Amino acid sequence: MQPDSWSDSTIKNIAASLADNPDILGLLLIGSHANPTLQPDAFSDLDLILIAKDSCLPDFIYTYPDRLLSFSQPYASSRANGPFYNSLCLWFADTHRIDTVFAPDSSLENLEAWQDSGLLSAGFRLLFSRSESLDDL
C-alpha cells in the first residue's frame, strides 16, 4: 500500500499534534490506510481511533475539529454514537474526509467489545500509545 502525499502527511501531522497531550492515550489508524492488502485511492478517507482519558474525552471531542484546521477547512461534519464510543466525520472542500472514533480509556477494559464492534476488522496500525492495553491489541 502506498498512501498519497495528503494522507501520509495528514496522518503524521495529526499523530504529532496529539502525541504530546497526556490526556490522549493512543491513536490508531484503521481502514484501508492501515491494511496492507487494501489499496487506498485518492478518494479514500482517513479512519482513526483516538483513545482519551474518560474525564477529558467530552471536551476533547468538541475541540478536535479546531486542531485539524491547520490541515484544511472542513465544510461539513456529522457525529454519531456507538455502543462505547462517539464518532466524528469531517469533510473538506478538497474532497478529503477524516473519520475519527473517540473512545474512553475505560473501554479498553472490554477488548471483546472492540472486536465485536467491527472497528478493527480491516486491520489497524498503532500510531502511538501510552496504554499497555492498546499495546496488547
Side-chain angles (χ1 to χ4, degrees):
M1 172 190 64
Q2 191 68 297
D4 62 61
S5 61
W6 177 85
S7 60
D8 191 43
S9 65
T10 301
I11 292 165
K12 288 178 184 174
N13 288 335
I14 290 173
S17 73
L18 298 172
D20 291 337
N21 185 331
D23 293 327
I24 306 303
L25 302 180
L27 184 66
L28 291 88
L29 178 67
I30 60 174
S32 60
H33 287 282
N35 187 328
T37 63
L38 299 175
Q39 185 62 44
D41 61 29
F43 302 103
S44 295
D45 62 341
L46 292 180
D47 300 296
L48 302 168
I49 299 176
L50 184 145
I51 310 293
K53 291 181 180 176
D54 291 65
S55 59
C56 78
L57 189 59
D59 291 333
F60 192 81
I61 290 171
Y62 291 100
T63 61
Y64 177 75
D66 294 338
R67 296 170 185 272
L68 300 181
L69 291 178
S70 63
F71 308 126
S72 187
Q73 181 67 43
Y75 75 87
S77 66
S78 69
R79 297 180 191 273
N81 296 323
F84 59 88
Y85 59 84
N86 295 291
S87 65
L88 173 66
C89 298
L90 294 171
W91 287 268
F92 298 91
D94 60 5
T95 73
H96 291 110
R97 187 174 105 189
I98 300 173
D99 297 344
T100 307
V101 169
F102 300 90
D105 62 336
S106 61
S107 70
L108 295 173
E109 296 169 8
N110 185 0
L111 293 180
E112 186 174 304
W114 280 86
Q115 297 300 330
D116 293 344
S117 72
L119 290 171
L120 306 177
S121 63
F124 68 91
R125 183 168 41 125
L126 190 59
L127 298 175
F128 74 84
S129 171
R130 289 186 188 82
S131 166
E132 288 182 24
S133 296
L134 279 178
D135 296 338
D136 292 339
L137 279 178

